[in-house]
Amino acid sequence: HDLSLMAGYGAVACLITIVAYNSVVPMFGIFLSGIPGAAVIVLSSLLLGYLGWGLYRLKPAAWWGMAGLGLFYLLSSVVTFMQTDLFEFYRRMGMRESELELIRDLDIMNTGVLTGFTIAWSVIYFGYMLFIKKYFSK
C-alpha cells in the first residue's frame, strides 16, 4: 500500500504545481504552459489518483500503469535535461533573475548531475516495483 499512498500524494502534488509552477510542465524537451500545461497537470493528477486506488486494491493493471508512468517520466526527464535550458523552465515559473543566480551558484543544475540523479532514483523506483510485483498477480 506504500505505492498507493505515493500515487495519492502525487495526485495532490500535481494540483499544487498548477499554482506553484505557474502551470509549466517540462515534457520531452519542451515546456507546456497555460491551458495546455494545466490540462496535462490535471490529467496526471486524475491518472495518479486512479492508479493509487487500483494499487490499493492490488489490481495488476494499476501496477503496470505505475511502471509505465515511471518509464514515461524517466524518458521525458532525460530528454528534457539533454535538450533544454532548465533555467528557462524556472523563468516561465516566474522566478526572478536574482533567484536564478542563487540556483546557478549551487552548481547542481547541470545536465550530468540531473540525469544521474534521475537515473539513480529510477533504479530505486523500478527495484521497488519489481519487489512488490508479486502482490499484484491474480
Side-chain angles (χ1 to χ4, degrees), residues 26-44:
M27 187 174 291
F28 288 100
I30 62 170
F31 300 112
L32 301 173
S33 58
I35 292 173
V40 167
I41 292 168
V42 169
L43 289 173
S44 295

Side-chain angles (χ1 to χ4, degrees), residues 58-97:
L58 299 176
K59 302 284 186 185
W63 184 93
W64 284 104
M66 282 300 283
L69 200 57
L71 182 60
F72 176 85
Y73 285 135
L74 169 63
L75 295 175
S76 177
S77 295
V78 170
V79 168
T80 299
F81 296 151
M82 301 288 223
Q83 294 184 356
T84 64
D85 172 13
L86 288 179
F87 289 97
E88 180 60 26
F89 171 65
Y90 293 124
R91 280 185 202 93
R92 289 182 186 213
M93 283 174 40
M95 292 182 90
R96 296 183 305 263
E97 284 300 317

Side-chain angles (χ1 to χ4, degrees), residues 18-30:
I18 290 175
V19 175
Y21 291 5
N22 201 21
S23 296
V24 180
V25 178
M27 187 174 291
F28 288 100
I30 62 170

